[in-house]
Amino acid sequence: RVTCRFDYLGSLDIGLALAEDRAGFDAVWPANSVWIDLFDRNKRVRDLTPIARSPVILGLRRGKAEELGWIGRDVSSDAIVEAVRAKRLTFLASSATQSNSGAGAYLAMLSAALGHPDAITSADLARPDVRRTVRTLLGGVSRTAGSSAWLSDLYLKGLDQGIAYDGMWNYEAVLAETNGELRRRGAELLYAIYPKDGVAFANSPLGFVDSGKGERARTFFFDLRTHMLSDPVQRRLIEAHRRPAVGEATGAAADPAWNYDPARLVTLVRTPAPDVVRAALQLYQEALRRPSLTAYCLDFSGSMKGKGEAALKEAMRFVLTPAEATPLLVQHGPEDRIIVIPFDSAVRDVFRGTGSPADQERLLGRVAAHAAGGGTNIYDCAARALREIAATSGAAEFLPAVVVMTDGRSDDHAASFLAQWRAERTDVPVFGITFGDAELGQLNGLA
């Protein structure tokens, strides 16, 4: 007789809510305790207890796994590095600084590059050979996303658009769910690769947030935790392709068609100390990940005047100010390329820069000089963004994206833009971020 309300947030967002004292909740249930260790500065979370586990592994289209000779054999991280280096393999992976599955895959890459079973140290992060190996592996990322579920959606959407991604790094459980949908479609399954030198696990810990509500809230939390760890609930988690909090997933059915075996013993990489994890994630964001090539389409039409324009400029101040973006691990790295395109009924100008602090400050000054006024054509700007991305030297080395920042109130020229997008034959995502009195219809269609 207790009403539970669930607010669904990413693990990083849970950590940030704690760090910024926005935690209006009595318990947290992130994918991994590392996000609590990183951000719970006031130590409000108590009694973190693992509820279920899932390893982060590589799922490859079975045809690609056969082409690489990886069916029915152990595969090392060295073999994956060599396949990427030889341009025989690319994959989807969620961002290490935004998603626990991405962080897990990245930390496992670091651990494998070190070649020893101990936890990663700060000294290890400085080793040039380790950086080279991990940069090579991350160079195989063809698209990224902010969560494991969005990554699965992206893989499935690729099939709808005729894009055959080689595979993705994701939780064993999410690969199982994705394969369930692939089976339903009659599509090629993803074959599970468990790198023999170790993988990271999500352990889904449940933790009590001490917010001064007294013993009754704490007692309920302990009752809830006992319930979650009970045999009936643990069996249901196993049926949902999770591994139990303790022991192996006995009684769960293996599926040789995609190399799934939840009772398989998997080598676990040791989680580094929280300060090392933060340093590793900062290294990923600023130096090791595949650099981004982002075109920001900024709506300065008349309908943005007032609050919309102020919010847009504030957003760009955050994006282009390393001191503000770094605490949230979303800062640009020096190798990134940034294109800023203000627009109204047509493109006003195009400004280019790198992710260096000086270039970001210069670009921010350009944004500040514009004022709202005129009509709106978001499609004209998005089309120009595609052309600017295609014209960038070495564009294939970057992860491209178009970000349209607007209230969505545009003349409708969607058909001509979509024709150009398809003609480019490049996998450039388009994201819409709304401001002011936003109309979502056109932006949802565009995205």
Side-chain angles (χ1 to χ4, degrees):
R1 294 183 176 85
V2 173
T3 300
C4 292
R5 189 188 80 242
F6 284 80
D7 292 330
Y8 291 96
L9 300 174
S11 295
L12 173 67
D13 295 322
I14 292 172
L16 291 173
L18 291 166
E20 298 168 4
D21 206 25
R22 293 186 285 106
F25 32 76
D26 304 302
V28 290
W29 197 9
N32 197 296
S33 58
V34 68
W35 301 102
I36 306 302
D37 294 337
L38 282 173
F39 293 103
D40 183 23
R41 304 185 188 103
N42 296 323
K43 304 300 179 189
R44 293 177 59 197
V45 178
R46 313 281 175 82
D47 304 301
L48 266 176
T49 306
I51 299 299
R53 298 174 299 141
S54 192
V56 179
I57 59 176
L58 178 60
L60 292 183
R61 281 188 298 106
R62 188 179 177 92
K64 173 57 70 171
E66 288 172 350
E67 176 191 318
L68 293 169
W70 291 353
I71 300 292
R73 54 165 284 202
D74 289 337
V75 178
S76 68
S77 294
D78 283 345
I80 298 173
V81 170
E82 286 308 311
V84 171
R85 185 176 285 129
K87 308 292 186 186
R88 299 182 66 198
L89 174 64
T90 61
F91 37 72
L92 309 180
S94 56
S95 167
T97 55
Q98 301 300 301
S99 163
N100 184 70
S101 60
Y106 168 61
L107 291 174
M109 291 176 195
L110 278 171
S111 181
L114 289 167
H116 63 64
D118 298 327
I120 301 161
T121 66
S122 297
D124 293 326
L125 298 177
R127 285 175 46 179
D129 58 327
V130 170
R131 292 190 177 198
R132 278 195 302 271
T133 299
V134 176
R135 189 180 286 113
T136 298
L137 258 175
L138 292 173
V141 176
S142 58
R143 282 286 298 273
T144 188
S147 81
S148 52
W150 287 340
L151 202 70
S152 175
D153 292 344
L154 179 58
Y155 183 85
L156 294 170
K157 188 176 181 181
L159 295 181
D160 296 336
Q161 296 175 337
I163 303 169
Y165 296 114
D166 288 347
M168 62 177 164
W169 288 93
N170 217 321
Y171 297 123
E172 180 183 59
V174 175
L175 289 175
E177 293 161 1
T178 306
N179 274 334
E181 174 61 19
L182 292 172
R183 269 205 173 104
R184 190 187 68 78
R185 298 183 182 195
E188 188 176 19
L189 298 183
L190 290 165
Y191 185 85
I193 303 294
Y194 298 81
K196 66 180 182 180
D197 28 18
V199 301
F201 268 80
N203 60 359
S204 301
L206 188 69
F208 177 68
V209 180
D210 191 352
S211 53
K213 291 189 177 180
E215 197 57 33
R216 184 179 178 185
R218 195 171 181 84
T219 298
F220 173 69
F221 170 79
F222 287 134
D223 290 345
L224 174 63
R225 187 179 67 178
T226 299
H227 170 72
M228 296 299 287
L229 293 173
S230 66
D231 285 343
V233 174
Q234 291 287 298
R235 281 198 298 272
R236 287 177 63 189
L237 287 167
I238 291 169
E239 289 168 4
H241 305 106
R242 274 72 181 168
R243 299 183 182 217
V246 178
E248 296 307 311
T250 53
D255 189 345
W258 64 278
N259 198 33
Y260 171 63
D261 182 1
R264 179 198 308 261
L265 292 174
V266 179
T267 303
L268 175 66
V269 300
R270 295 179 61 181
T271 303
D275 61 323
V276 178
V277 172
R278 176 170 277 282
L281 293 177
Q282 193 144 331
L283 181 65
Y284 165 90
Q285 187 68 17
E286 294 179 354
L288 297 186
R289 64 178 169 83
R290 189 172 163 191
S292 63
L293 169 56
T294 308
Y296 295 97
C297 286
L298 308 183
D299 185 352
F300 280 99
S301 64
S303 61
M304 289 284 286
K305 186 168 291 186
K307 290 182 180 179
E309 179 185 344
L312 173 62
K313 288 183 175 179
E314 176 68 14
M316 289 307 294
R317 186 175 68 81
F318 169 77
V319 167
L320 297 174
T321 305
E324 293 193 26
T326 298
L328 274 66
L329 298 168
V330 294
Q331 70 273 28
H332 281 290
E335 294 184 17
D336 291 343
R337 297 293 180 269
I338 304 168
I339 305 168
V340 174
I341 312 177
F343 73 94
D344 44 45
S345 58
V347 168
R348 292 184 177 185
D349 215 330
V350 177
F351 308 111
R352 283 179 167 270
T354 69
S356 72
D359 270 12
Q360 291 190 67
E361 186 176 4
R362 176 178 57 81
L363 290 171
L364 188 56
R366 299 289 195 181
V367 173
H370 282 266
T376 315
N377 186 346
I378 61 178
Y379 304 100
D380 183 61
C381 187
R384 179 64 176 271
L386 283 184
R387 293 196 296 273
E388 293 291 332
I389 286 172
T392 301
S393 176
E397 302 303 315
F398 298 88
L399 279 176
V402 176
V403 181
V404 182
M405 303 170 77
T406 175
D407 60 5
R409 299 173 181 276
S410 175
D411 297 333
D412 191 357
H413 300 285
S416 60
F417 168 74
L418 289 171
Q420 178 186 335
W421 186 87
R422 295 187 182 103
E424 294 280 347
R425 294 192 173 278
T426 55
D427 188 19
V428 179
V430 181
F431 300 99
I433 300 178
T434 57
F435 294 84
D437 184 16
E439 288 280 355
L440 293 179
Q442 289 180 315
L443 275 182
N444 286 339
L446 181 62

